[in-house]
Amino acid sequence: MGAVKTKRMPRAVREQQMLDAAVRTFGQRGYMAASMDEIAELAGVSKPLVYLYLNSKEDLFTACIRREGQALTEAVRAGVDTRSSADRQLWDGLRAFFTHTAQHPDGWSVLHLQARTHGEPFAAEVAALRAELVAFVTELIAVTAREAHRDRDPDLAEREVAGLAEALVGAAESLAAWSNATPGVTARQTAATLMNFAWAGLGNLVEGRPWSPPAGAEYRP
Amino acid sequence: MGAVKTKRMPRAVREQQMLDAAVRTFGQRGYMAASMDEIAELAGVSKPLVYLYLNSKEDLFTACIRREGQALTEAVRAGVDTRSSADRQLWDGLRAFFTHTAQHPDGWSVLHLQARTHGEPFAAEVAALRAELVAFVTELIAVTAREAHRDRDPDLAEREVAGLAEALVGAAESLAAWSNATPGVTARQTAATLMNFAWAGLGNLVEGRPWSPPAGAEYRP
Amino acid sequence: MGAVKTKRMPRAVREQQMLDAAVRTFGQRGYMAASMDEIAELAGVSKPLVYLYLNSKEDLFTACIRREGQALTEAVRAGVDTRSSADRQLWDGLRAFFTHTAQHPDGWSVLHLQARTHGEPFAAEVAALRAELVAFVTELIAVTAREAHRDRDPDLAEREVAGLAEALVGAAESLAAWSNATPGVTARQTAATLMNFAWAGLGNLVEGRPWSPPAGAEYRP
Amino acid sequence: MGAVKTKRMPRAVREQQMLDAAVRTFGQRGYMAASMDEIAELAGVSKPLVYLYLNSKEDLFTACIRREGQALTEAVRAGVDTRSSADRQLWDGLRAFFTHTAQHPDGWSVLHLQARTHGEPFAAEVAALRAELVAFVTELIAVTAREAHRDRDPDLAEREVAGLAEALVGAAESLAAWSNATPGVTARQTAATLMNFAWAGLGNLVEGRPWSPPAGAEYRP
DNA sequence: GATGAATGAGAATTCATTCAT
DNA sequence: TATGAATGAATTCTCATTCAT
């Protein structure tokens, strides 16, 4: 178990080994339950070396978040051709997303679960990543969605677009976890399910057919 | 701070105070970072009393999950009239859901983040709760959604419905967190955003207008 | 389990119930591992009552030692007729001893193991009991043994008698534990084994045939 | 006080220091009353180091039992020449035994009292050690003792030999404690006392003069 | 560049014991 | 006579982190 113990590697390589071990350990045990001991052993180095290179548990975890976050956004970016139509971009992006999360479950666990569950230094880190994805989605739906709300308060529309993007990203995140946990579901199928749901819904909005609350539907506390 | 130190309360009352303190602490600090010391102090009692009544950190956390989970499902149930139309039921349910999560942010953090991030005794506990919500949603969309897939492989349709429900619940969960974190967004608005998105999308599906992948859209790994 | 919960018993009865529970718990769990909680529950009373009557764990344990010690010495005394011959007295005493220890294994565990293992307040208590038994044995062998050493240093003889008595009592104690732990051995057989061993040996001593060290048998460290 | 605080020792050395401290502490305070804190302080190291090397209180205690047990059996073995006559072997063995227990009173307390009083992981450990001594003694007395019982039920004889060995070992154990607690008694004298007692008795048995119960000596319960 | 040796600080949990009624 | 409510003080054990080489 663990990397083969090879001595005197260049620093960059060693660091990647450590990050590999850390992502795996954090992803499986969780941030707090993961011990530096275990990570060092899995990386095949001594603990002091981990500290020498990565400084502290907090920094190590942050480095994991950054690396995995970048890998994920790059995978999505690489899967999308910005010259395509909006729906094609979304479709390509979702497939790339689900494919990546399926191939890096520990990294996804770090980003989706661990980083968000352990408060401040980390939440900000993921928030930045998430903002990128939300921005991508927002971009795709912004114009059309605003159309559908042309006649309403534009500020509300602003916020509603944000909400829609949030919902879409949230649905994607949730489906990624579900897809990883449900055997026999491919990334492509998952992407299709969400696309179907989302685009059909957005399509309606675009065409000016939003759903509206039934009359007298006030909520009684 | 913390509860006023009142002495000699009947057990049932003390237990609720402890659960209050525990939900708050777990919700804010996370399961592992929360210390029994802090919880006891916030509850205004000594640690041994917490152990006497709630047995262990694990049991205490489980008790929190159960209590908050029940409160949430009851709130949703109470907000929905099962004799209403499907869209009305969903609308009512979502408003009840977002209202409750907005009023109990720590409880929601416990259920949505903490319980899912800390492995087995707890994951199962939330899974049960989640299953209830997913079942509720599935019920609402099942018939109509199956219609839209009449001509396809029925088994796939089965799984696709599951995926859709998962997506909807995931979106709701995500929006709940977003709504809690974004000032000036009401539960009602959040519910409307999601309803709009979801029902419009489902509406399209029902009417036989699913989105379909553009030709030649294969993903190159 | 435990005594039936009957209310308002006279103090003396309650105390015996508590001591019963305590002897059983101390005997099985050991002094330190036994908890006042367990003892109170087994006795069918609340903890404060145990403290009211028996004062503290230490006092409770001491009371156990005293009660069980007295029961044992009384059993031995009752089994012996002081008008009998020395060997007959020893034989009767041993049988009574082994019979009693077999019938009260927890009490014997308290006296033989627990009380001696837990330092000062208790060691003294057992020492007194033990002294009684040693004195009884010493009395029996003193005269005859001294005979056998007539020609030697009388002070040494004094100490040797003490040593012999100690050896005999030690052998008896050890055999009691062994007999309790070995199925199918009766108290009578155990008594016969020890009697055989001891008396035959003593008989030799009496008749002036002590064993003596082989020449040049010095121990090389 | 305790060991002088010397820093950076090789592991093997530190481990012995820890075992020294542990034997002393366990021997004097008892297994449960001894705290890891006290042991660490006496060893001149911090608690975590004790855990790093010895794993747990239980493992530490087991290590003590093993080390002291081996030291004792080796001392006895080294003191005995198996080519000597039986009585000479017993005599040499007893002297070695009492010498060792006198020189290592804490180790003896650990083996004789603590290990036997604290249940299962440990009892088995000492039982093995004890079995070795009992086997040694049994070997010495087996043939001759069986002679003396030639005409009786051989199965009973078997058990009686076991009982005799048990008695002898028990007497030795008891005398070791007594000798440690009685000032002015040397190991040699103690060995002589027991040898005298035991061998004279065994001598009688060998020569076909066992003690036999007086007629009509039944014990009335 | 790399590590064996070592620790300060804090975590969960348990227990004998008392108070107020 | 009897008890439900409550706690101070340990105890075992773990962990992130550093020093000396």
Side-chain angles (χ1 to χ4, degrees):
Chain A
M1 47 210 66
V4 180
K5 219 170 202 168
T6 323
K7 302 256 169 171
R8 306 260 154 196
M9 317 270 282
R11 169 160 183 158
V13 178
R14 274 274 195 258
E15 271 190 20
Q16 288 309 311
Q17 290 180 346
M18 290 176 193
L19 287 176
D20 289 344
V23 167
R24 190 152 147 204
T25 309
F26 285 135
Q28 279 169 8
R29 294 250 191 283
Y31 173 59
M32 302 233 62
S35 85
M36 295 299 273
D37 260 308
E38 189 179 357
I39 292 171
E41 175 169 339
L42 188 61
V45 297
S46 71
K47 245 185 316 174
L49 199 59
V50 178
Y51 278 89
L52 189 61
Y53 285 178
L54 275 317
N55 218 34
S56 73
K57 193 183 188 184
E58 204 173 301
D59 285 6
L60 173 56
F61 191 49
T62 305
C64 290
I65 296 175
R66 289 224 176 98
R67 195 184 75 167
E68 297 303 307
Q70 266 168 29
L72 177 56
T73 52
E74 264 157 36
V76 171
R77 240 196 298 274
V80 169
D81 183 339
T82 51
R83 292 159 310 182
S84 313
S85 65
D87 69 333
R88 173 67 189 267
Q89 280 190 50
L90 186 56
W91 165 242
D92 287 340
L94 286 177
R95 268 182 317 153
F97 177 82
F98 288 122
T99 302
H100 187 89
T101 55
Q103 277 166 353
H104 303 84
D106 291 329
W108 177 241
S109 163
V110 163
L111 292 174
H112 179 49
L113 286 181
Q114 301 308 330
R116 311 182 87 176
T117 317
H118 292 103
E120 241 346 282
F122 315 127
E125 212 67 39
V126 207
L129 160 68
R130 211 162 185 275
E132 233 176 297
L133 293 178
V134 171
F136 171 63
V137 172
T138 304
E139 181 63 26
L140 290 180
I141 62 178
V143 183
T144 52
R146 273 195 212 99
E147 286 283 315
H149 294 272
R150 195 179 321 157
D151 47 344
R152 298 210 213 146
D153 166 15
D155 188 50
L156 180 75
E158 219 28 274
R159 213 158 46 206
E160 180 136 354
V161 171
L164 286 171
E166 186 70 30
L168 183 47
V169 170
E173 289 172 344
S174 216
L175 279 176
W178 173 76
S179 166
N180 275 354
T182 310
V185 181
T186 68
R188 191 173 205 281
Q189 284 163 7
T190 311
T193 297
L194 183 51
M195 192 67 198
N196 212 336
F197 180 46
W199 203 253
L202 294 173
N204 254 344
L205 296 177
V206 166
E207 290 164 30
R209 279 186 285 161
W211 173 90
S212 63
E218 289 320 301
Y219 179 64
R220 311 142 320 261
Chain B
M1 342 232 108
V4 180
K5 219 168 199 169
T6 322
K7 299 255 169 169
R8 307 260 151 196
M9 319 272 284
R11 173 166 181 156
V13 177
R14 272 282 192 254
E15 272 189 16
Q16 288 310 312
Q17 292 179 343
M18 288 176 192
L19 287 177
D20 290 344
V23 167
R24 193 153 146 202
T25 310
F26 285 136
Q28 278 166 10
R29 292 251 192 285
Y31 173 59
M32 302 228 66
S35 87
M36 295 299 270
D37 260 312
E38 189 179 356
I39 292 171
E41 175 166 341
L42 186 61
V45 296
S46 69
K47 239 186 316 171
L49 200 59
V50 179
Y51 277 90
L52 188 60
Y53 287 174
L54 275 316
N55 227 26
S56 71
K57 194 182 187 183
E58 201 173 307
D59 284 8
L60 174 55
F61 192 48
T62 304
C64 290
I65 296 174
R66 290 228 175 95
R67 195 183 73 165
E68 297 304 307
Q70 264 167 31
L72 177 56
T73 52
E74 264 156 37
V76 171
R77 239 196 298 274
V80 170
D81 183 339
T82 53
R83 293 159 311 182
S84 314
S85 64
D87 69 331
R88 173 67 188 267
Q89 281 191 50
L90 187 56
W91 166 242
D92 287 340
L94 287 177
R95 267 181 319 155
F97 178 81
F98 288 121
T99 303
H100 187 89
T101 56
Q103 277 165 354
H104 303 85
D106 291 327
W108 176 242
S109 163
V110 163
L111 291 175
H112 178 49
L113 287 180
Q114 303 308 329
R116 311 180 87 176
T117 315
H118 291 101
E120 242 341 284
F122 315 127
E125 212 68 42
V126 210
L129 161 67
R130 210 162 186 273
E132 228 175 302
L133 294 178
V134 171
F136 172 62
V137 171
T138 304
E139 180 62 26
L140 291 180
I141 63 177
V143 182
T144 52
R146 270 195 215 102
E147 287 281 315
H149 294 271
R150 197 178 320 158
D151 46 346
R152 298 210 213 148
D153 166 15
D155 188 49
L156 182 75
E158 219 29 271
R159 206 154 54 200
E160 181 135 354
V161 170
L164 286 171
E166 187 70 29
L168 182 47
V169 170
E173 290 172 344
S174 218
L175 279 175
W178 173 76
S179 165
N180 277 352
T182 310
V185 182
T186 68
R188 192 173 203 280
Q189 286 162 7
T190 311
T193 297
L194 182 51
M195 192 66 198
N196 214 335
F197 180 43
W199 203 252
L202 293 173
N204 255 343
L205 296 177
V206 165
E207 290 165 30
R209 277 184 287 162
W211 173 90
S212 63
E218 288 321 300
Y219 179 64
R220 311 142 318 261
Chain C
M1 46 208 71
V4 179
K5 220 169 201 168
T6 323
K7 303 255 167 170
R8 308 259 154 195
M9 318 269 282
R11 169 161 184 159
V13 178
R14 273 277 195 256
E15 272 191 18
Q16 288 309 311
Q17 290 178 345
M18 290 177 193
L19 287 177
D20 289 344
V23 167
R24 191 153 146 202
T25 309
F26 285 136
Q28 280 169 7
R29 294 249 191 286
Y31 173 59
M32 301 232 65
S35 85
M36 295 298 272
D37 260 309
E38 189 180 356
I39 292 171
E41 175 169 338
L42 188 61
V45 296
S46 70
K47 245 186 314 176
L49 199 59
V50 178
Y51 278 88
L52 189 60
Y53 285 177
L54 275 316
N55 218 36
S56 73
K57 194 183 190 184
E58 202 172 305
D59 285 7
L60 173 56
F61 191 50
T62 305
C64 290
I65 296 174
R66 289 226 176 96
R67 195 184 75 165
E68 297 303 307
Q70 265 167 30
L72 177 56
T73 51
E74 263 156 37
V76 171
R77 240 195 299 274
V80 170
D81 183 340
T82 51
R83 293 159 310 182
S84 313
S85 65
D87 69 332
R88 173 67 188 267
Q89 282 191 49
L90 186 56
W91 166 241
D92 287 340
L94 287 177
R95 268 181 317 153
F97 177 83
F98 288 121
T99 301
H100 187 88
T101 56
Q103 278 165 352
H104 303 84
D106 290 330
W108 177 240
S109 164
V110 164
L111 292 174
H112 179 48
L113 286 180
Q114 303 306 330
R116 312 182 86 177
T117 316
H118 292 101
E120 242 342 284
F122 315 127
E125 212 67 40
V126 206
L129 160 69
R130 210 162 187 275
E132 233 175 297
L133 293 177
V134 171
F136 171 63
V137 171
T138 304
E139 181 63 26
L140 290 180
I141 62 177
V143 182
T144 50
R146 272 195 213 101
E147 286 282 316
H149 294 269
R150 194 180 321 158
D151 46 346
R152 297 211 214 146
D153 166 13
D155 187 49
L156 180 75
E158 217 32 89
R159 212 155 47 204
E160 180 135 355
V161 171
L164 286 171
E166 186 69 30
L168 182 48
V169 171
E173 289 171 345
S174 215
L175 279 176
W178 173 77
S179 166
N180 275 354
T182 309
V185 181
T186 67
R188 191 174 205 279
Q189 284 163 6
T190 311
T193 297
L194 182 52
M195 191 68 198
N196 212 335
F197 179 47
W199 203 252
L202 294 173
N204 254 345
L205 296 177
V206 166
E207 289 167 29
R209 279 185 285 162
W211 172 90
S212 62
E218 289 321 300
Y219 179 63
R220 313 143 317 265
Chain D
M1 350 236 105
V4 180
K5 219 169 200 169
T6 321
K7 298 256 169 169
R8 308 261 150 195
M9 318 273 283
R11 173 166 181 158
V13 177
R14 273 280 191 254
E15 272 189 16
Q16 288 311 312
Q17 292 178 342
M18 288 175 192
L19 288 176
D20 290 344
V23 167
R24 192 152 145 203
T25 310
F26 285 136
Q28 277 166 10
R29 293 250 190 286
Y31 174 60
M32 302 227 66
S35 88
M36 294 299 271
D37 261 313
E38 188 179 357
I39 292 171
E41 174 166 343
L42 187 61
V45 295
S46 69
K47 237 188 317 172
L49 200 60
V50 178
Y51 278 91
L52 188 61
Y53 287 174
L54 274 317
N55 228 25
S56 71
K57 194 182 186 184
E58 201 173 306
D59 283 9
L60 173 56
F61 192 48
T62 305
C64 290
I65 295 174
R66 290 228 174 97
R67 194 183 75 165
E68 296 304 306
Q70 264 168 30
L72 177 56
T73 52
E74 264 157 37
V76 171
R77 240 196 296 275
V80 170
D81 183 340
T82 52
R83 293 160 309 183
S84 313
S85 64
D87 69 331
R88 173 67 188 266
Q89 282 190 49
L90 187 56
W91 165 241
D92 287 340
L94 286 177
R95 266 181 319 154
F97 177 82
F98 287 121
T99 302
H100 186 90
T101 55
Q103 276 164 354
H104 303 86
D106 291 327
W108 177 241
S109 163
V110 163
L111 292 174
H112 178 49
L113 287 181
Q114 303 307 331
R116 311 181 86 176
T117 315
H118 292 101
E120 243 341 284
F122 315 128
E125 212 68 41
V126 209
L129 160 69
R130 209 163 186 274
E132 228 175 303
L133 293 178
V134 171
F136 171 63
V137 171
T138 304
E139 180 64 23
L140 291 179
I141 63 178
V143 182
T144 50
R146 270 195 214 102
E147 287 281 317
H149 294 269
R150 195 180 321 162
D151 45 345
R152 298 209 213 148
D153 165 16
D155 188 51
L156 181 76
E158 221 27 272
R159 206 153 56 203
E160 180 135 356
V161 171
L164 287 171
E166 187 70 29
L168 183 45
V169 171
E173 290 172 344
S174 217
L175 279 175
W178 172 76
S179 164
N180 277 352
T182 310
V185 181
T186 69
R188 191 173 204 281
Q189 284 162 8
T190 312
T193 297
L194 182 52
M195 191 65 198
N196 214 334
F197 180 43
W199 203 252
L202 293 173
N204 254 345
L205 295 177
V206 166
E207 290 165 29
R209 278 184 286 162
W211 173 89
S212 62
E218 289 320 301
Y219 179 63
R220 312 140 320 261

